[in-house]
């Protein structure tokens, strides 16, 4: 038999092994982030003696006293490999959190972190890391995204890192809500990696594919001390155990049997007996400064007799991260909202992912036929592509408005982007185009984006974490926009020497929630704080007597809450008009009140040199996909096994090669 030619043998080899090589290359690419952009990527475990899952557990202990929550988060890092490592963990935080403390424990040694200017803290950390000292660094990448670095974790080490924060709970419609964010969702970014700075790299995070087991244990406990009997308490997101030690003391913990408890936000809601609301005045006297927190309940909402027509624009995210539960929930939300629109109202729908398209070139009458057409448009979409939010907002604001109608712009998204600042600036620059309301859809949405869009657009944020909540959330949105609770709102101080009051002005009040403002005060505890405004055609006045206010210890947290609120205001200003003066003000506030900010970080160093110069592996802790989010939210293939298309390609290659071999043999006979 004649031997096949060299060219033929090479052709067969190419047909057989090219699909295998393509699969191997794709698998290798899945093991590391793409080289072109700062994209999240699927995590691939390795077995080369390096610990790839350093975070072993997270435990959360929160105490809610009145309207102030004090939270302690403990993260345990271990190294079961045989190589010293640096662990990097990206995790979410509350948008209202005033992070004021960090420490770590190694063996019998506990090291308390110090607040430093961000670049200086990073330099201290890098120097200690290079010197072989165990060190930690906590940085804020977004107001709700933190990054923890722990360097020189030696084989066999267990490092316990503890961070502490305080936040304010403001009830809405008589319901208090405490939220602990579970996981940072994969953020879409088109930013080239080549142009990225060190502070941008957090988005380049390994992701555990859907249904993959989260290796880190998670536990959470909340103690509610309300001062007023608790009517009811429940979590819509997790199975919980609730024990009432007293009528005004409830202890809440996540059921240990809860599976993957950290792949979504934990939400606790509770009401007080008689629908009581913690309103009033709290004072704090310090060594150098005194602070106050005022909460005044506005009047009940009065629905107008004749609501004028509205022009609604629904801006809907249909990108890959919205596939599955988020997009199904979006459809359900609009199915509930659309029937409440009246024929005299007008509406339009703008869909966006990698590009944008609208239902109509101009807004349409809200007739049953037009509304059904919009729902049919949504029903044919599964979710695909990137999340190009900024181009979509530009298209939305460019849509022609119906004259003499109030426009309501509702943005519906999970918020998995990294362009929050640019989006806020774009909304502020187009306030004349309508009020912006933002709906966060998903089990672990980007609350910084959702709340910031609404704040910039003088609207209100709404969160839908479960499909069963869509009807209730839609009803709150309808009630909210029906009429303002209080217009022409003003605050005055009579006989009370207040200064540095935040917020600097109070807009019209829509939601049925207390009006909250912070400030400093000096002099005697006398006088009144008065809130005035109009509800419908009736004037409204409410006053707080300073002399009868509760006075808290100097370290009660009011100073941190005031500083955090002021930092948020300044950060909003920086997003619109960045300048060195405002950045310096935020930095000074962070350093003065020991708070984590965009420009200040916590750093702790154990001065014991524990590692000789040599190998130190950097490991990024993989994150689970948020509950309900599909693998399409992450670019690239799932690295666990070949996809069906890969098997098909292998089969075609083998079949073609087999046919060629058979024909060669037949011709050789």
């Amino acid at each position: 038999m004649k031997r096949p030619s060299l060219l033929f043998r090479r052709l067969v080899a190419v047909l057989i092994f090219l699909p295998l090589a393509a699969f191997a290359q794709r698998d290798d690419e899945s093991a590391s982030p793409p080289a072109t952009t700062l994209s999240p990527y699927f995590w691939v475990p390795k077995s080369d003696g390096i610990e790839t899952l350093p975070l072993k557990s997270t435990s959360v202990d929160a105490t809610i006293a009145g309207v102030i929550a004090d939270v302690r988060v403990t993260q345990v890092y271990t190294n079961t490999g045989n190589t010293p490592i640096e662990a990097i963990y990206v995790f979410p935080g509350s948008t209202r959190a005033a992070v004021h403390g960090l420490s770590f424990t190694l063996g019998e040694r506990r090291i308390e972190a110090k607040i430093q200017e961000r670049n200086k803290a990073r330099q201290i950390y890098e120097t200690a890391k290079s010197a072989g000292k165990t060190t930690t660094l906590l940085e804020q990448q977004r107001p709700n995204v933190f990054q923890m670095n722990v360097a020189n974790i030696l084989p066999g080490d267990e490092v316990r890192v503890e961070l502490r924060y305080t936040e304010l709970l403001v009830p809405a419609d008589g319901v208090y809500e405490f939220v602990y964010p579970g996981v940072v969702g994969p953020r879409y970014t088109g930013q080239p990696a080549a142009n990225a700075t060190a502070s941008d790299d957090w988005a380049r995070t390994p992701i555990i594919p859907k249904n993959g087991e989260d290796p880190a244990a998670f536990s959470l406990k909340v103690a509610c001390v309300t001062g007023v009997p608790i009517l009811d308490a429940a979590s819509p997101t997790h199975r919980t155990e609730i024990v009432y030690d007293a009528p005004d003391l409830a202890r809440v913990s996540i059921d240990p049997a809860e599976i993957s408890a950290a792949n979504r936000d934990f939400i606790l809601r509770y009401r007080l007996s008689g629908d009581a609301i913690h309103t009033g005045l709290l004072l704090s006297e310090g060594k150098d400064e005194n602070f106050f927190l005022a909460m005044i309940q506005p009047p009940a909402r009065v629905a107008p007799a004749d609501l004028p027509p509205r022009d609604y624009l629904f801006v809907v995210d249909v990108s890959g991260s919205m596939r599955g539960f988020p997009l199904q929930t979006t459809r359900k939300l609009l199915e509930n909202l659309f029937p409440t629109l009246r024929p005299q109202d007008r509406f339009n729908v703008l869909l966006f992912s990698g590009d944008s398209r609208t239902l109509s070139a101009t807004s349409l009458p809200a007739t049953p036929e037009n509304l059904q057409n919009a729902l049919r448009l949504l029903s044919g979409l599964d979710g695909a592509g990137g999340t190009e939010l900024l181009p979509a907002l530009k298209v939305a604001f460019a849509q022609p408005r119906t004259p003499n109608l109030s426009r309501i712009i509702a943005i519906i998204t999970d918020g998995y982007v990294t362009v929050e600042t640019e989006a806020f600036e774009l909304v502020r620059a187009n306030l004349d185009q309508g009020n912006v309301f933002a709906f966060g859809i998903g089990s672990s949405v980007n609350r910084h984006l959702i709340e910031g869009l609404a704040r910039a657009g003088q609207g209100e944020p709404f969160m839908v974490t479960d499909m069963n909540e869509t009807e209730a959330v839609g009803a709150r949105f309808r009630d909210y926009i029906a009429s303002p609770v209080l217009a022409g709102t003003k605050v005055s101080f009579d006989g009370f020497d207040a200064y540095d009051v935040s917020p600097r002005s109070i807009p019209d009040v829509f939601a049925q929630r207390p009006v909250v403002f912070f400030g400093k005060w000096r002099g005697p505890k006398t006088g009144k704080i008065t809130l005035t405004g109009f509800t419908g055609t009736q004037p409204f006045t409410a006053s707080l007597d300073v002399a009868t206010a509760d006075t808290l210890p100097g370290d009660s947290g009011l100073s941190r809450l005031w500083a955090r609120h002021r930092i948020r205001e300044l950060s909003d200003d920086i997003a619109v008009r960045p300048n060195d003066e405002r950045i310096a003000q935020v930095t000074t506030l962070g350093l003065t009140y020991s708070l984590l900010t965009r420009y200040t970080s916590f750093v702790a160093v154990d001065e014991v040199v524990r590692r000789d110069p040599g190998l130190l592996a950097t490991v990024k802790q993989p994150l689970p996909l948020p509950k309900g989010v599909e693998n399409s939210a992450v670019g690239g293939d799932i690295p666990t096994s070949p996809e069906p298309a890969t098997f098909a390609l292998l089969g075609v290659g083998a079949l073609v090669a087999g046919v060629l071999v058979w024909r060669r043999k037949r011709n050789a006979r």
Side-chain angles (χ1 to χ4, degrees):
M1 182 176 64
K2 190 175 180 181
R3 186 182 182 186
S5 67
L6 177 62
L7 177 61
F8 175 79
R9 295 198 303 270
R10 287 179 175 174
L11 177 61
V12 171
V14 167
L15 288 171
I16 293 175
F17 292 110
L18 185 57
L20 287 171
F23 169 67
Q25 179 184 11
R26 187 162 57 248
D27 191 40
D28 179 67
E29 288 173 349
S30 299
S32 61
T36 54
T37 63
L38 293 179
S39 303
Y41 57 95
F42 285 117
W43 174 70
V44 177
K46 299 178 181 179
S47 56
D48 53 5
I50 297 176
E51 169 65 84
T52 58
L53 299 167
L55 179 67
K56 295 307 174 187
S57 67
T58 297
S59 59
V60 181
D61 285 285
T63 299
I64 300 172
V67 294
I68 298 176
D70 286 310
V71 184
R72 183 175 72 251
V73 182
T74 303
Q75 301 167 353
V76 178
Y77 298 85
T78 62
N79 184 356
T80 61
N82 53 33
T83 301
I85 64 169
E86 174 194 24
I88 300 177
Y89 175 42
V90 174
F91 61 101
S94 169
T95 55
R96 298 172 295 195
V99 181
H100 59 83
L102 176 75
S103 62
F104 77 87
T105 302
L106 177 63
E108 300 297 322
R109 297 190 300 280
R110 176 185 173 93
I111 294 89
E112 196 71 29
K114 296 180 180 179
I115 193 74
Q116 300 282 358
E117 186 274 327
R118 182 177 180 127
N119 291 335
K120 182 178 180 181
R122 169 62 71 167
Q123 182 181 11
I124 292 172
Y125 172 81
E126 294 293 346
T127 299
K129 181 177 75 172
S130 299
K133 301 174 181 178
T134 299
T135 177
T136 64
L137 176 70
L138 178 63
E139 295 176 312
Q140 175 183 300
Q141 307 297 9
R142 293 290 189 274
N144 64 332
V145 177
F146 305 146
Q147 178 174 308
M148 183 76 73
N149 289 48
V150 186
N152 291 313
I153 307 176
L154 304 189
D157 274 354
E158 178 180 278
V159 180
R160 303 176 65 86
V161 181
E162 179 183 290
L163 69 93
R164 302 174 294 278
Y165 70 85
T166 301
E167 71 171 279
L168 180 70
L169 305 184
V170 179
D173 294 321
V175 179
Y176 288 84
E177 183 175 271
F178 170 76
V179 178
Y180 180 81
V183 65
V184 176
R187 298 292 199 264
Y188 170 80
T189 174
Q191 182 180 7
N195 300 335
T197 64
S199 61
D200 297 320
D201 192 58
W202 67 270
R204 202 176 188 175
T205 305
I207 302 294
I208 300 171
K210 183 181 179 181
N211 298 325
E213 183 179 355
D214 183 1
F218 180 79
S219 64
L220 182 145
K221 297 179 180 179
V222 181
C224 262
V225 186
T226 58
V228 176
I230 299 171
L231 181 63
D232 55 51
S235 170
T237 57
H238 292 72
R239 285 180 294 171
T240 56
E241 297 176 350
I242 302 179
V243 177
Y244 291 90
D245 292 345
D248 62 348
L249 173 57
R251 298 190 184 277
V252 184
S253 59
I254 292 180
D255 188 333
E258 181 72 84
I259 304 299
S260 301
N263 69 352
R264 59 200 183 278
D265 294 353
F266 170 82
I267 299 175
L268 173 66
R269 294 178 182 144
Y270 60 95
R271 293 186 300 151
L272 304 180
S273 179
D275 288 331
I277 296 294
H278 282 291
T279 57
L281 180 63
L282 294 176
L283 303 177
S284 171
E285 293 182 281
K287 180 180 178 182
D288 301 313
E289 295 176 309
N290 304 323
F291 295 85
F292 73 86
L293 165 63
M295 300 180 68
I296 299 178
Q297 182 73 3
R301 184 180 292 109
V302 179
D306 186 14
L307 183 67
R310 302 291 175 93
D311 184 8
Y312 295 88
L313 176 57
F314 298 94
V315 182
V316 182
D317 181 356
V318 293
S319 65
S321 63
M322 293 287 287
R323 180 179 294 178
F325 157 70
L327 199 49
Q328 293 168 12
T329 304
T330 298
R331 293 191 191 106
K332 185 69 175 177
L333 176 68
L334 294 180
E335 286 172 0
N336 291 335
L337 279 175
F338 280 177
T340 67
L341 272 61
R342 302 163 302 168
Q344 61 265 40
D345 292 331
R346 300 183 70 86
F347 84 105
N348 204 348
V349 177
L350 187 154
L351 308 178
F352 75 95
S353 55
D355 55 10
S356 304
R357 56 177 171 143
T358 56
L359 174 67
S360 171
T362 59
S363 59
L364 301 169
T367 62
E369 181 182 1
N370 287 335
L371 294 171
Q372 281 300 316
N373 288 338
L375 292 175
R376 277 194 290 270
L377 177 65
L378 278 170
S379 65
L381 299 172
D382 293 327
T387 312
E388 292 290 353
L389 175 62
L390 295 180
L393 291 178
K394 292 177 182 178
V395 173
F397 291 130
Q399 292 294 299
R401 291 187 60 178
T402 303
N404 302 322
L405 292 190
S406 173
R407 169 170 275 185
I408 303 294
I409 301 174
I411 303 172
I412 306 173
T413 179
D414 53 18
Y416 292 164
V417 296
T418 59
V419 292
E420 294 97 332
T421 297
E422 295 87 345
F424 302 159
E425 182 175 357
L426 189 57
V427 170
R428 288 191 193 91
N430 289 275
L431 279 175
D432 59 334
Q433 296 300 311
N435 288 83
V436 173
F437 297 82
F439 287 79
I441 306 289
S443 62
S444 191
V445 300
N446 181 0
R447 290 173 182 263
H448 171 46
L449 176 77
I450 302 304
E451 294 173 1
L453 286 173
R455 190 165 60 247
Q458 296 184 2
E460 178 78 359
F462 297 87
M463 307 294 173
V464 186
T465 60
D466 185 280
M467 191 177 294
N468 295 328
E469 296 181 329
T470 54
E471 185 174 353
V473 172
R476 287 207 306 272
F477 172 67
R478 295 193 303 270
D479 291 344
Y480 183 93
I481 63 175
S483 64
V485 172
L486 202 61
T489 314
K490 293 182 180 179
V491 175
S492 60
F493 302 92
D494 182 16
F496 181 57
D497 190 2
Y499 64 103
D500 282 350
V501 178
S502 180
R504 287 162 289 181
S505 62
I506 299 176
D508 291 353
V509 178
F510 280 87
Q512 182 64 22
R513 65 178 61 190
V515 176
V516 179
F517 42 99
F518 303 87
K520 300 178 184 178
W521 61 278
R522 57 197 160 213
K525 291 187 287 185
T526 59
K528 290 184 178 181
I529 301 176
T530 302
L531 176 72
T532 59
F534 291 90
T535 172
T537 58
Q538 299 297 319
F540 172 83
T541 301
S543 296
L544 299 174
D545 189 349
V546 175
T548 60
D550 293 331
T551 301
L552 305 176
D555 59 351
S556 61
L558 288 190
S559 62
R560 294 190 289 266
L561 290 174
W562 171 85
R564 182 68 184 88
H565 200 277
R566 184 70 184 118
I567 287 168
R568 188 174 74 172
E569 285 188 329
L570 287 167
S571 298
D572 288 346
D573 291 342
I574 291 170
V576 180
R577 296 176 297 276
N579 62 46
D580 293 340
E581 180 182 354
R582 290 187 177 88
I583 292 174
Q585 286 179 287
V586 172
T587 304
T588 300
L589 285 167
L591 295 174
T592 301
Y593 297 97
S594 190
L595 292 179
L596 183 71
T597 72
R598 188 71 176 84
Y599 309 105
T600 55
S601 304
F602 282 101
V603 62
V605 178
D606 182 0
E607 293 301 332
V608 177
V609 176
R610 308 181 63 238
R611 177 181 64 85
D612 294 330
L615 178 65
L616 178 69
T618 296
V619 179
K620 291 188 175 183
Q621 176 72 23
L623 306 179
L625 274 175
K627 181 181 179 181
V629 175
E630 299 293 325
N631 289 321
S632 57
V634 181
D637 296 328
I638 303 173
T640 53
S641 61
E643 293 183 355
T646 301
F647 283 116
L649 189 59
L650 290 169
V652 169
L655 178 62
V656 172
V659 170
L660 290 175
V661 170
W662 174 78
R663 291 186 62 182
R664 180 74 181 182
K665 287 183 177 180
R666 188 187 64 176
N667 293 336
R669 290 173 183 167

